[in-house]
Amino acid sequence: MNANLLFGCGLGGSLLLAGCGAGKADNAASSHKPNVVFIVADDLGYGDLSCYGASAIATPHMDRLAAGGLRFTDAHSVAATSTPSRYSLFTGHYSWRRNDTGIAAGDAGMVIRPEQTTIADLFKTAGYTTGAIGKWHLGLGDKVGTQDWNGLITPGPQDIGFDYSYLMAATGDRVPCVWIENQRVAGYDVDAPISVSYKVPFPGEPLGKTHPEQLTKLKPAPNHGHNQAIVNGISRIGYMKGGGRALWQDENIADTITAKAVRYIEQHKDTAFFLYVGTNDIHVPRYPHARFQGKSDMGYRGDAILQLDWTVGEIMKTLKANGLLENTLVILTSDNGPVVNDGYVDQAVELLGEHRPWGELRGGKYSSFEAGTRVPFIVSWQGIVGPGVSGALVSHIDLFASMAQLTGENLKEGIAPDSRNQLDALLGTDRQGRDYVVKAARTLSISTGEWKYIAPCNGTPYYKSTRTETGFSREEQLYNLREDIGEQRNLASEYPEKVKELKGLLEKEKEKGCLLR
Ligand code: NG6
Ligand code: CA
């Protein structure tokens, strides 16, 4: 079949309008289906980019992406922390329907089970080659604590649709602190076999709490944990022994992820590819490369934003250099909202100044208030999308079904059950998007463009350690986001009908299962 027909004008709705309707079908035409790149930043806040209003920091590369593409103002991750957020993005299944999708330990078994169909499987079925690079945080291996870090770790990304993977198992602040390439430790050091435990320390191994003098790069913040295994002068969550030459250097993490992503693009430029890049920036421990240290006025948190911006710039530069911009859909977003102090003494709080990582929103990472899940979201596809700003209500949950539409695949019953095709919203021809989005923290919330309801729960309203307003309350909460984007006035008692309506929608969603812990 003529690919130009399929992907220039033949897809009906979306591309017909976006591509051919705009008279730019030729730009979309290529010998194969459009490449797709998801860049998922970590803990990047709604207000952390200059294109989203930040003035204390400049993010020129991400701004350029936004200026040439579509910048969304009402886009949501499914959850306010990483594991459940990424789980939903990859599976099109609400993480809160399961009780085992909470923040994964570094030795967690793979949260997405091999029998599940992921967005990577979808792309593979559509003839793509698929890659996952960077932060994973979805567990590896079968069951917690059973991985052999010295051999093949299985099941893994290959069992859920990724042909290639180069990953950190969990987070920068969790052991094991090694890269895992195609389910084996990259650069494995035979002289330093690896053991990992989240239960007991290894005798003789230095810990943050017992050997603070070895914390040459970052110290854990009081009352935040992060005082266990010391790797590379930084103490982590969890215990680890060995690794030797395979251990990562935190200052090189962004360079490594960027280099791997660049190489992936270069190697696959002649075939349709789907690439997921999970950046480590701007999660803790923030320890950017010397090139970025001190380059913002905000300490390492700001420097990490600049480093992230550079990563995005390098990826875009590579697409451009290989002539791929007109045949590649790029989505840049964040897994959850921002946090300033998340466990290390890095002066993020002291040097924040006027910068508001959450923009005009309330709350942050972990929170049911908007900043927990309303995230930066930029769609770029030269000649097809934008430029512009879209207020359409969109959610990561819909990426799966939207990519099915993009690639011309039908989703079988039961696959990505919570995902809906919103390709037109992603490409900008529909400026409405969803009727409502459901977001998870300790409790669920639901918002239409205008109204927001937060279900009552018994969580604490304020996390002292991270200084987060959680939005958790035993009372029902209703906010009018059009008039009160900062969620200051609870209108639940004034608008009981609205509460009933939103609660009803939420209850209906929950009928298909809710095991939120
Ligand atoms: C928390 C960690 C936090 C961060 C988070 C996961 C403590 C006290 N805090 O448990 O530092 O690692 O988990 O963040 O341990 S996420 O963005 O990957 O979900
Ligand atoms: Ca995160």
Side-chain angles (χ1 to χ4, degrees), residues 304-452:
I305 295 176
L306 299 181
Q307 186 168 259
L308 166 69
D309 191 55
W310 168 82
T311 294
V312 173
E314 291 300 298
I315 291 172
M316 296 314 295
K317 198 166 94 186
T318 307
L319 291 172
K320 187 172 182 194
N322 288 281
L324 297 174
L325 281 182
E326 293 178 352
N327 197 35
T328 305
L329 167 69
V330 180
I331 297 182
L332 168 71
T333 188
S334 177
D335 65 341
N336 52 253
V339 58
V340 183
N341 176 6
D342 208 14
Y344 290 92
V345 179
D346 61 5
Q347 289 209 292
V349 173
E350 296 80 349
L351 297 175
L352 196 62
E354 297 298 301
H355 181 61
R356 295 173 63 79
W358 39 83
E360 54 187 353
L361 310 176
R362 189 172 180 185
K365 179 178 180 177
Y366 309 113
S367 172
S368 277
F369 284 133
E370 281 294 276
T373 52
R374 193 186 289 215
V375 285
F377 193 93
I378 298 167
V379 178
S380 154
W381 185 354
Q382 194 173 300
I384 297 286
V385 173
V389 177
S390 174
L393 186 60
V394 296
S395 165
H396 289 175
I397 197 72
D398 293 330
L399 289 174
F400 198 130
S402 305
M403 293 304 104
Q405 176 72 20
L406 177 81
T407 55
E409 294 295 312
N410 287 321
L411 288 184
K412 288 200 204 80
E413 180 76 24
I415 304 300
D418 298 309
S419 191
R420 304 285 171 262
N421 168 29
Q422 291 288 340
L423 188 61
D424 290 344
L426 298 180
L427 300 183
T429 52
D430 164 20
R431 296 298 171 111
Q432 296 296 316
R434 280 190 152 242
D435 293 337
Y436 58 83
V437 291
V438 179
K439 291 92 54 103
R442 190 189 171 93
T443 185
L444 295 180
S445 63
I446 180 168
S447 59
T448 64
E450 182 172 17
W451 293 95
K452 156 107 174 256

Side-chain angles (χ1 to χ4, degrees), residues 99-122:
N99 66 2
D100 57 354
T101 59
I103 298 171
D107 67 346
M110 195 159 67
V111 180
I112 303 174
R113 302 313 298 172
E115 56 274 18
Q116 286 186 272
T117 301
T118 67
I119 200 164
D121 289 314
L122 166 86

Side-chain angles (χ1 to χ4, degrees), residues 80-383:
T81 51
S82 162
T83 304
S85 168
R86 290 167 208 259
Y87 170 84
S88 290
L89 188 155
F90 283 144
T91 62
H93 182 230
Y94 284 130
S95 44
W96 44 266
R97 299 205 192 282
R98 284 175 51 167
N99 66 2
D100 57 354
T101 59
I103 298 171
D107 67 346
M110 195 159 67
V111 180
I112 303 174
R113 302 313 298 172
E115 56 274 18
Q116 286 186 272
T117 301
T118 67
I119 200 164
D121 289 314
L122 166 86
F123 279 111
K124 262 181 82 86
T125 308
Y128 284 63
T129 182
T130 55
I133 291 169
K135 172 163 171 169
W136 183 240
H137 210 190
L138 288 166
L140 291 169
D142 189 27
K143 291 200 171 64
V144 60
T146 60
Q147 302 84 356
D148 176 5
W149 301 100
N150 304 288
L152 181 71
I153 304 156
T154 181
Q158 241 148 23
D159 301 291
I160 54 171
F162 287 103
D163 298 318
Y164 175 76
S165 59
Y166 192 97
L167 302 167
M168 50 170 53
T171 56
D173 57 349
R174 284 174 175 76
V175 300
C177 301
V178 287
W179 293 106
I180 298 170
E181 184 168 30
N182 293 332
Q183 299 171 216
R184 288 179 190 274
V185 169
Y188 182 72
D189 185 345
V190 285
D191 298 324
I194 298 169
S195 312
V196 169
S197 170
Y198 275 73
K199 289 193 179 130
V200 284
F202 296 100
E205 292 297 313
L207 305 178
K209 59 185 157 200
T210 57
H211 292 72
E213 76 287 352
Q214 291 189 24
L215 298 170
T216 51
K217 291 185 174 162
L218 279 176
K219 297 185 195 340
N223 310 317
H224 273 267
H226 295 93
N227 56 5
Q228 298 173 338
I230 298 177
V231 179
N232 187 31
I234 299 172
S235 51
R236 324 271 167 166
I237 307 171
Y239 305 105
M240 172 175 192
K241 188 179 169 175
R245 290 185 302 276
L247 294 170
W248 70 50
Q249 300 279 311
D250 296 72
E251 52 274 50
N252 295 335
I253 289 176
D255 281 358
T256 301
I257 292 173
T258 306
K260 294 290 169 189
V262 164
R263 185 186 302 172
Y264 186 89
I265 293 167
E266 287 170 350
Q267 286 179 341
H268 298 94
K269 63 180 186 335
D270 297 324
T271 52
F273 63 81
F274 165 60
L275 174 62
Y276 155 78
V277 183
T279 72
N280 171 57
D281 292 320
I282 59 170
H283 198 277
V284 297
R286 305 173 189 120
Y287 196 73
H289 192 273
R291 303 198 303 285
F292 298 99
Q293 286 190 16
K295 290 289 151 54
S296 74
D297 296 328
M298 279 188 257
Y300 290 161
R301 186 178 186 280
D303 301 344
I305 295 176
L306 299 181
Q307 186 168 259
L308 166 69
D309 191 55
W310 168 82
T311 294
V312 173
E314 291 300 298
I315 291 172
M316 296 314 295
K317 198 166 94 186
T318 307
L319 291 172
K320 187 172 182 194
N322 288 281
L324 297 174
L325 281 182
E326 293 178 352
N327 197 35
T328 305
L329 167 69
V330 180
I331 297 182
L332 168 71
T333 188
S334 177
D335 65 341
N336 52 253
V339 58
V340 183
N341 176 6
D342 208 14
Y344 290 92
V345 179
D346 61 5
Q347 289 209 292
V349 173
E350 296 80 349
L351 297 175
L352 196 62
E354 297 298 301
H355 181 61
R356 295 173 63 79
W358 39 83
E360 54 187 353
L361 310 176
R362 189 172 180 185
K365 179 178 180 177
Y366 309 113
S367 172
S368 277
F369 284 133
E370 281 294 276
T373 52
R374 193 186 289 215
V375 285
F377 193 93
I378 298 167
V379 178
S380 154
W381 185 354
Q382 194 173 300

